Amino acid sequence: MRMKKIVIAADSFKGSVRSIEVAEYVEQGIKSVFPECEVRKVYIADGGEGTVEALVSSLNGKYVEVNVHDPLMRPVVATYGILEEGTVAVLEMASASGLTLLKPEERNPLKTTTYGTGEMMADALQRGCRKLLVGIGGSATNDGGTGMLSALGFRFYSKEGNELKGGGEILSRIASIDNRYVMEELANAEITVACDVTNPFSGPDGAAYVYAPQKGADSCMVEELDRGLKHFADVIKTYNGIDVELIPGAGAAGGLGGGFAALLGARLVSGIEMVLETIRFREIIRSADLIITGEGKLDLQTAMGKAPRGVLDAAALQGIPVIAIGGSVENTGMLNEQGFAGVFSIQPGPVTLEKAMEHDYTCRQIVRTVSQLMLFVGKMKPLIK
């Protein structure tokens, strides 16, 4: 069967090959069998690392570098993207407030702050962006978003009237919120946050207990941070009547999700939903014969909402079959039950993890696997619509 249009929409093979490169080598495999086929390459991510690059590349945007502060308020250069003639900004909070910016011994969520994330947002707003897309994975913080909000002009005061600044340690001391100095540009801003967890703001399943230990918190810190988040939730409710504890995902990124939703009116959505909506994926795939997606590891997490699952859901609405490729594959039967037409590992045989992660090796295996799949697809007409 002749393939007229195939769409490639694969996430990166993390630690090995970027989304842009995956698409390039999948295309090579397609063209080796169907040289006349229209191939549409889109670059996707799940809202975490690689989201800025995926959207900037897919939409011909541009990168912006800005001087901000890292989680410990040291100078750092953060990069974000501007799309659609300067009206949309896409940011990854990890670029300014991420765990990778700290040495292991520097991790301390009582001290770390999201202030740099707010500085990135302020820069985008000042450049005229009125739609902000923010990925909040990989945070080093547990400050409930107070740092980010401070950079945008919010002020937090103790009961003695002193302005509070810092990390999670200030949460239990906040008595009031002042919005008199908030950036005017925020009034007309639309903020969408990529949030793939449903953890509440506080409690046993909240930000502190679930995520703070990996950010350097010991058991005493966790308890202090959780008390602080509970207290801050009460302060927010007094301030504007919003119960942040009832917002699914408020505990994401150390409570940053809650700060976004309760004080900025941000919309919390799945990362892949945000990306696919932004690139207008449903329009791109219209009339496609096949979609090829994938990521480094296809497993139970894939089915629970990662990038390939988002691609699958969008394709299902138009009855387009989806094939997934990955560096490793688990739970194949379950993935087939989800709706994938086929799930394939690119590995030709047993290899070491080190070998499997090699960039050039992975690229070669992507081309080989896809070319073989295309030969099969061309001959097995009954399997394709």
Side-chain angles (χ1 to χ4, degrees):
M1 179 180 179
R2 177 172 173 264
M3 293 281 101
K4 295 180 180 179
K5 178 181 178 179
I6 297 177
V7 175
I8 306 167
D11 200 352
S12 64
F13 284 32
K14 288 183 173 60
S16 181
V17 183
R18 295 151 53 219
S19 173
I20 294 172
E21 296 173 307
V22 174
E24 176 185 342
Y25 290 102
V26 169
E27 181 181 35
Q28 287 185 25
I30 294 170
K31 292 290 190 177
S32 70
V33 179
F34 299 113
E36 303 301 320
C37 179
E38 176 191 352
V39 176
R40 288 293 305 273
K41 295 181 292 185
V42 296
Y43 313 117
I44 62 172
D46 58 11
E49 179 186 355
T51 299
V52 169
E53 181 182 42
L55 290 179
V56 168
S57 299
S58 289
L59 298 174
N60 296 315
K62 66 178 182 179
Y63 293 103
V64 173
E65 290 187 343
V66 57
N67 295 314
V68 298
H69 291 86
D70 79 355
L72 292 175
M73 293 300 288
R74 299 171 301 201
V76 67
V77 177
T79 302
Y80 67 93
I82 293 183
L83 317 172
E84 298 185 11
E85 299 181 348
T87 62
V88 179
V90 54
L91 314 94
E92 294 173 20
M93 73 88 66
S95 183
S97 312
L99 197 61
T100 58
L101 297 174
L102 303 178
K103 298 175 182 177
E105 62 270 20
E106 294 176 331
R107 298 175 182 179
N108 184 343
L110 289 174
K111 302 294 184 181
T112 50
T113 171
T114 54
Y115 192 85
T117 297
E119 290 179 302
M120 276 201 299
M121 294 170 61
D123 187 78
L125 290 167
Q126 289 166 351
R127 291 176 186 267
C129 298
R130 290 297 176 268
K131 184 174 182 180
L132 306 184
L133 310 174
V134 189
I136 60 173
S139 74
T141 57
N142 199 113
D143 69 354
T146 53
M148 175 269 294
L149 294 162
S150 293
L152 295 172
F154 282 88
R155 299 290 180 266
F156 302 95
Y157 294 101
S158 67
K159 63 181 180 180
E160 293 83 15
N162 299 317
E163 184 177 353
L164 300 171
K165 297 180 180 181
E169 63 187 358
I170 75 168
L171 293 172
S172 60
R173 298 164 53 204
I174 297 173
S176 62
I177 303 171
D178 185 352
N179 65 4
R180 288 177 297 170
Y181 309 104
V182 170
M183 293 181 65
E184 294 180 0
E185 292 87 347
L186 274 173
N188 298 312
E190 175 188 340
I191 303 173
T192 302
V193 176
C195 176
D196 286 328
V197 302
T198 58
N199 300 78
F201 204 55
S202 67
D205 297 319
Y209 276 99
V210 175
Y211 300 112
Q214 68 195 40
K215 302 172 186 181
D218 59 25
S219 59
C220 291
M221 289 182 188
V222 167
E223 293 179 6
E224 180 179 348
L225 289 166
D226 188 64
R227 287 195 300 270
L229 288 166
K230 290 180 185 296
H231 173 76
F232 187 41
D234 291 337
V235 174
I236 292 173
K237 192 171 184 179
T238 299
Y239 167 72
N240 62 10
I242 295 176
D243 189 347
V244 69
E245 297 284 14
L246 299 179
I247 300 174
L256 180 60
F260 266 116
L263 291 168
L264 294 180
R267 184 168 60 109
L268 306 185
V269 302
S270 78
I272 187 59
E273 177 185 340
M274 182 184 80
V275 171
L276 296 182
E277 179 183 297
T278 301
I279 65 175
R280 301 178 181 88
F281 188 67
R282 292 184 183 180
E283 297 175 20
I284 291 171
I285 66 175
R286 192 169 292 129
S287 76
D289 297 304
L290 179 69
I291 298 173
I292 299 177
T293 187
E295 60 182 343
K297 185 176 184 180
L298 298 165
D299 57 11
L300 181 62
Q301 294 300 314
T302 302
M304 295 177 65
K306 295 183 74 177
R309 175 57 191 270
V311 170
L312 177 66
D313 290 343
L317 296 174
Q318 299 184 37
I320 304 169
V322 180
I323 288 175
I325 62 172
S328 67
V329 176
E330 297 177 3
N331 306 104
T332 305
M334 180 267 297
L335 291 170
N336 289 145
E337 290 175 4
Q338 293 288 319
F340 288 102
V343 181
F344 302 91
S345 170
I346 66 169
Q347 305 304 336
V351 294
T352 64
L353 178 60
E354 182 180 11
K355 182 67 175 180
M357 296 285 286
E358 284 183 8
H359 176 271
D360 291 348
Y361 174 83
T362 300
C363 294
R364 290 196 303 272
Q365 299 313 316
I366 289 172
V367 175
R368 181 194 59 79
T369 302
V370 173
S371 64
Q372 289 298 305
L373 286 172
M374 292 301 98
L375 287 169
F376 175 79
V377 166
K379 292 178 180 178
M380 300 298 291
K381 182 177 178 179
L383 296 182
I384 300 297
K385 66 172 185 174

